[in-house]
Amino acid sequence: MSANPPYPLGLRLAGRRVVVVGGGAVATRRVPALLDAGADVFLVAPELTPALQAHVDAGRLRWAPRRFAPADLDGAWLVQVAVDDPLAAASVSAAAAERRIFCVRADDRSAATAWTPAVTRHGPVTVAVFGGGDPRRAMSVRDAVRDLLTVRTGLAAAGRDTPPGGAGPGRVALVGAGPGDPELITVKGWRLLTEADVVVADRLVPGLLLDELRPDVELVDASKIPYGPSRTQEEINRILVDRALAGKVVVRLKGGDPYVFGRGGEELLACAEAGVPVTVVPGVTSAVAVPAVAGVPVTHRAVAHEFTVVSGHVAPDSPDSLVRWPALAGLRGTLVVLMGLRNLAAITAALTAYGRDPATPVAVIQEGTTGAQRTLRSTLGAVAADVVAAGLRPPAVVVIGDVVGALDA
């Protein structure tokens, strides 16, 4: 490739076919931005990370579980090569060149016909920065621009003892990423992401945050897809400790808040036992934020003076359940159920059996605060069947109580 600078251009990909070759960490970082742009994403890879599998299961993209074939590019407008095999990447490049399709390559920028810039988003404003082939320079400029956009220039300049990847004491930050909208992460949480050498991320982490990581950051996909494959908590603990003891700055990025059914306490204890310093950065919990964006306040004057958050991942009749469902049924306030879609029929049956009125209003919000948000309103007696009929799927928040209709006027 010549030394000529790239020509900056904003691609409008809504409804247009984009092919992504590879199903690993790089694809996990790049796919969310393509989906956010409305692209018709076609993914080709023998295997996928759990986070990518979640996109497939949700119907957001199509997946061919095999190796790349040149015909995969027929009708495509753009191709992203996210594999580390130079020969395989070169074969994709050659097929793209024959069809005059721009090709982004994660393995070799000099062999690519298009580059992915360092990006920051602030409401309707998107800033893309090219660093003349130096990704670290592009990230540095991008971060400075983001500071100006958020009018918090002092925060990003503080806090790091060593440059990214440099020698120094390792540490871990348990960071809550918020309920799904990437702009709902705290300023401190975002700053720690810019300092990270390693990011260990769950499935519910906003994908666009991963798209903004430095290219040299190690991304560990610790996705815990409900009722699907998952890394064990012990494995996650080991990764946090091992990377920190190797001198890395590690961010454990979690959807919502680290301590609201996030097992952050277990990770903190594991790090403390190994002598690794830990910073906890609270996040906006979906228990409050998701109902709020759906027009449901969890409390409201003269309607509800209390709200209770409960995990629904264990059925009420299970011997493993720690929840006192009779007591919850007797409360007059709001009940917020997280991770309860699979057991919703059993949960609603238990609440009505213990005395909660079947006519109690219920709202179910799927993928709240994101562009894929869906809201269903029903009653306690009918909601389980209504959810099945509507085809709602996790992640979803269930709100039970009169607050569901408090703002209808």
Side-chain angles (χ1 to χ4, degrees), residues 107 170 183 205 221 310 319 341 352 364:
D107 67 311
E183 292 190 326
V205 165
D221 188 342
V310 61
L341 220 55
T352 54
V364 182

Side-chain angles (χ1 to χ4, degrees), residues 13 37 41 76 197 200 247 256 258 291 384 405:
L13 296 176
V41 177
D197 302 311
V200 183

Side-chain angles (χ1 to χ4, degrees), residues 36 119-128 149 181 183:
D36 188 61
V119 175
T120 185
R121 300 170 178 86
H122 188 77
V125 176
T126 299
V127 178
L149 290 174
D181 182 342
E183 292 190 326

Side-chain angles (χ1 to χ4, degrees), residues 139-184:
M139 292 288 182
S140 178
V141 174
R142 183 279 312 272
D143 292 345
V145 171
R146 179 165 182 167
D147 293 342
L148 292 172
L149 290 174
T150 56
V151 199
R152 284 175 169 85
T153 54
L155 284 174
R160 177 158 197 126
D161 297 325
T162 58
R171 51 192 170 93
V172 170
L174 305 180
V175 176
D181 182 342
E183 292 190 326
L184 292 180

Side-chain angles (χ1 to χ4, degrees), residues 64-79:
R66 54 170 172 77
R67 297 181 66 85
F68 170 80
D72 292 332
L73 298 187
D74 292 346
W77 292 67
L78 176 69
V79 58

Side-chain angles (χ1 to χ4, degrees), residues 50 53-54 57 203 223-231 311-316 337-347 392-396:
Q53 183 66 57
D57 293 343
R203 178 180 70 94
S223 296
K224 290 172 173 279
I225 300 176
Y227 321 111
S230 68
R231 288 180 186 256
S311 171
H313 76 286
V314 177
V337 183
L338 305 183
M339 301 180 291
L341 220 55
R342 184 187 189 192
N343 293 318
L344 187 57
I347 290 170
L392 264 62
R393 51 178 169 72

Side-chain angles (χ1 to χ4, degrees), residues 7-9 12 31 37 42 58 94 109 114 125 143 146 158 162 190 228 277 279 314 321 323 330 357 367 369 373 376:
Y7 181 79
L9 189 68
R12 302 182 65 188
V31 162
F42 179 62
R109 292 171 60 85
V125 176
D143 292 345
R146 179 165 182 167
T162 58
W190 171 79
T279 299
V314 177
S321 177
V323 179
D357 187 351
E367 297 186 88
T369 79
Q373 177 176 311
L376 179 147

